[in-house]
């Protein structure tokens, strides 16, 4: 239980008046009890406690002083609270309440305090029972949002999710401006209930209040996905990225996946590039391949040359050279195509297709002799022979 709740509990206790009803308490008893109350009011709880312990012992089991005993138990309970002795306070207040000597209004207030103390002491079932009883016997106009929040907290600890959700919904309906921890309790209960719609609505409140906490945006995204709202999930995570809140590869990967699933490959590529720039994503072979693929999917061929070039240089292979060279062809970078084929040949990663592409690039640059020397070995290649022969025929016509 929060410290602020304990303080409000003490305030409630000390505001109770000490009532002496004519004919129910002797002047002697009243003076004794009032003296202890005065000590308590003057911040001397130990002395007040000692006086009430002795007073109750002196009364013993006399049935003629039941009301005096009840009032003494109240002061004893207040003294224990002031000394942070919650268990002793609860016992004293229980004795006063069970005596049935107090006036109805005071008895009702005491029951609420007992409920709060029971919850404070993690006596969850007793606390829920007492608070529920208090809500039943008091007018609705006396019910506050805080009462339902405490009730929902008790239900949460008892794992009674349905009752807990009902209580916290009532609390938040009564007080939409409640502190964030109220909403977080509601979210936790709604998640247990698998009520994703309510959970995401309350999580949005938390995000609005804590817009710079990436974990809150991530939770909102998760809840929106569970509620089957992928577009909202994408928008939430994108907003967190735009606020520059990402601090781990997990955040980048999540937004990339959401963008890709919504068929927005260029956004996914932008996110990935940002992750590389901020060193949150490693430039591994798989990541570079994914980046290049996303850029190619979004037809950003010139931008795709960056990861394709890095792949060819760091991980030379026929596949990487071919992918890089194909994109160079698409962007009409003929000279680089020729140079790349030569580099691939040097790394023993050449292939007939690379040779054909380099020959075509040489033709585009009107380097026909070089092109011819590249085409001629391919006339015997089963798959590429027709293309090679067609290009050689074209060269012959140009040179005629």
């Amino acid at each position: 239980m929060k410290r602020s709740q304990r303080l409000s509990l003490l305030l409630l206790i000390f505001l109770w008046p000490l009532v002496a009803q004519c004919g129910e308490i002797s002047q002697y008893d009243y003076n004794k009890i009032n003296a202890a109350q005065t000590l308590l009011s003057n911040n001397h709880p130990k002395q007040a406690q000692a006086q009430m312990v002795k007073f109750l012992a002196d009364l013993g089991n006399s049935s003629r002083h039941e009301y005096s005993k009840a009032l003494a138990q109240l002061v004893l309970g207040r003294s224990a609270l002031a000394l942070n002795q919650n268990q002793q306070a609860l016992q004293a207040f229980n004795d006063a309440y069970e005596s049935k000597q107090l006036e109805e209004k005071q008895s009702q207030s005491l029951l609420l305090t007992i409920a709060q103390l029971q919850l404070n002491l993690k006596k969850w079932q007793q606390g829920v029972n007492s608070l529920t009883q208090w809500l039943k016997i008091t007018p609705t106009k006396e019910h506050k949002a805080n009462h339902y929040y405490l009730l929902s907290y008790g239900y949460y600890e008892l794992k009674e999710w349905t009752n807990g959700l009902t209580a916290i919904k009532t609390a938040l309906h009564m007080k939409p401006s409640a502190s964030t921890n109220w909403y977080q309790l509601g979210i936790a209960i709604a998640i247990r209930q698998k009520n994703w719609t309510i959970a995401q609505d309350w999580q949005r409140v938390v995000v609005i209040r804590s817009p710079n906490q990436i974990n809150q945006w991530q939770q909102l995204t998760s809840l929106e996905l569970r509620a089957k709202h992928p577009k909202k999930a994408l928008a939430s995570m994108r907003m967190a990225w735009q606020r520059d809140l990402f601090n781990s590869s997990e955040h980048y990967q999540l937004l990339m996946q959401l963008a890709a699933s919504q068929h927005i490959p260029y956004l996914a590529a932008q996110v990935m590039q940002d992750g590389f720039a901020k060193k949150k994503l490693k430039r591994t072979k798989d990541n570079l391949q994914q980046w290049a693929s996303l850029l190619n999917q979004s037809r950003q061929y010139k931008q795709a040359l960056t990861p394709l070039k890095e792949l060819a240089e760091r991980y030379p292979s026929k596949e990487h050279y071919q992918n890089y060279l194909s994109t160079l062809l698409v962007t009409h970078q003929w000279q680089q195509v020729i140079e790349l084929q030569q580099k691939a040949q040097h790394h023993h990663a050449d292939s007939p297709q690379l040779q054909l592409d380099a020959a075509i690039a040489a033709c585009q640059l009107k380097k026909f002799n070089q092109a011819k020397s590249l085409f001629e070995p391919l006339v015997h290649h089963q798959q590429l022979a027709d293309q090679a022969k067609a290009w050689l025929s074209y060269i012959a016509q140009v040179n005629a």
Side-chain angles (χ1 to χ4, degrees):
M1 204 70 66
K2 300 293 185 185
R3 178 66 178 169
S4 60
Q5 291 165 355
R6 288 201 293 268
L7 290 174
S8 65
L9 174 65
L10 288 172
L11 181 61
L12 174 63
I13 294 295
F14 285 120
L15 286 176
W16 284 348
L18 184 62
V19 180
Q21 296 181 347
C22 183
E24 293 184 357
I25 184 172
S26 68
Q27 188 64 46
Y28 174 82
D29 288 355
Y30 176 78
N31 290 341
K32 283 286 186 181
I33 297 169
N34 195 50
Q37 175 65 50
T38 301
L39 283 171
L40 185 57
S41 300
N42 292 330
N43 201 26
H44 298 295
K46 271 195 172 183
Q47 292 93 320
Q49 185 182 55
Q51 287 194 11
M52 287 299 93
V53 168
K54 184 177 185 303
F55 176 74
L56 286 166
D58 290 343
L59 290 180
N61 296 322
S62 172
S63 60
R64 293 188 303 149
H65 299 273
E66 293 302 316
Y67 184 60
S68 296
K69 290 179 185 178
L71 292 180
Q73 292 288 3
L74 283 182
V75 179
L76 184 61
R78 298 173 189 175
S79 302
L81 271 185
L83 294 169
N84 291 321
Q85 298 171 352
N86 288 352
Q87 183 60 55
Q88 292 90 324
L90 177 59
Q91 183 60 55
F93 290 143
N94 267 328
D95 290 343
Y97 182 78
E98 294 296 334
S99 72
K100 302 188 185 303
Q101 295 297 309
L102 303 176
E103 62 178 8
E104 183 181 5
K105 194 68 178 174
Q106 197 172 28
S107 182
Q108 289 176 357
S109 297
L110 183 56
L111 179 59
L112 177 59
T113 301
I114 288 171
Q116 290 175 300
L117 269 173
Q118 287 168 333
L119 293 171
N120 188 286
L121 291 167
K122 300 183 179 181
K123 298 178 184 291
W124 307 119
Q125 190 63 66
Q126 293 177 32
V128 163
N129 292 344
S130 297
L131 189 49
T132 301
Q133 177 63 17
W134 181 84
L135 289 167
K136 285 180 180 179
I137 65 175
T138 51
T140 304
K141 65 181 181 180
E142 294 184 18
H143 300 171
K144 305 298 183 186
N146 187 59
H147 301 145
Y148 288 97
Y149 168 72
L150 290 176
L151 184 60
S152 68
Y153 195 93
Y155 280 130
Y156 173 81
E157 294 293 343
L158 292 170
K159 297 181 171 55
E160 294 186 24
W161 314 124
T162 301
N163 290 332
L165 189 60
T166 300
I168 195 64
K169 282 171 69 176
T170 303
L172 292 173
H173 178 74
M174 294 174 73
K175 190 177 181 181
S177 63
S179 61
T180 300
N181 66 305
W182 286 32
Y183 282 93
Q184 289 173 327
L185 174 61
I187 292 163
I189 295 173
I191 288 173
R192 300 308 195 286
Q193 277 284 90
K194 297 185 178 181
N195 194 323
W196 311 119
T197 300
I198 289 179
Q200 70 171 349
D201 289 345
W202 287 341
Q203 182 63 29
R204 286 195 191 102
V205 176
V206 175
V207 165
I208 290 170
R209 294 180 176 186
S210 306
N212 294 323
Q213 293 183 14
I214 181 58
N215 61 311
Q216 301 300 347
W217 287 98
Q218 193 171 8
Q219 170 137 313
L220 175 59
T221 300
S222 174
L223 291 171
E224 287 169 333
L225 285 173
R226 288 181 176 273
K228 298 183 179 179
H229 296 150
K231 290 184 178 179
K232 289 183 179 180
L234 172 60
S236 295
M237 211 60 189
R238 186 176 188 175
M239 195 171 296
W241 173 56
Q242 290 172 336
R243 295 180 71 91
D244 198 24
L245 300 180
F246 285 12
N247 54 34
S248 74
S249 61
E250 179 186 356
H251 303 141
Y252 286 94
Q253 293 288 354
L254 177 55
L255 180 52
M256 285 157 50
Q257 291 168 10
L258 289 169
S261 68
Q262 292 295 304
H263 308 293
I264 313 176
Y266 188 55
L267 172 59
Q270 286 180 305
V271 173
M272 200 164 200
Q273 183 175 355
D274 184 55
F276 287 137
K278 293 175 180 172
K279 301 186 185 307
K280 300 302 181 183
L281 291 176
K282 295 181 179 179
R283 302 178 82 91
T284 62
K285 181 167 69 173
D286 287 344
N287 281 344
L288 289 169
Q289 287 174 330
Q290 184 180 2
W291 186 23
S293 175
L294 289 168
L295 288 168
N296 278 324
Q297 288 175 46
S298 51
R299 298 185 180 181
Q300 301 296 320
Y301 300 117
K302 286 189 176 180
Q303 292 184 42
L305 291 172
T306 298
L308 290 170
K309 181 181 180 180
E310 187 171 344
L311 282 166
E313 290 177 348
R314 291 178 56 192
Y315 309 100
S317 69
K318 290 181 181 180
E319 178 189 0
H320 292 157
Y321 278 117
Q322 184 61 62
N323 291 339
Y324 183 26
L325 190 143
S326 297
T327 306
L328 286 171
L329 278 174
V330 171
T331 55
H332 298 173
Q333 300 191 48
W334 314 120
Q335 185 57 43
Q336 290 188 47
V337 170
I338 296 170
E339 292 172 0
L340 183 63
Q341 188 269 333
Q342 292 171 347
K343 189 177 291 185
Q345 197 172 35
H346 178 73
H347 284 92
H348 307 289
D350 196 9
S351 70
Q353 184 62 53
L354 280 174
Q355 193 171 327
L356 178 70
D357 292 339
I360 293 171
C363 278
Q364 297 295 336
L365 293 172
K366 298 187 180 346
K367 296 182 178 181
F368 297 119
N369 289 335
Q370 185 178 9
K372 185 178 179 182
S373 66
L374 289 167
F375 280 129
E376 285 177 341
L378 299 176
V379 297
H380 305 295
H381 192 280
Q382 187 175 0
Q383 284 81 29
L384 305 177
D386 290 343
Q387 292 183 66
K389 289 175 182 178
W391 277 102
L392 285 171
S393 176
Y394 167 74
I395 293 171
Q397 291 175 10
V398 170
N399 290 332

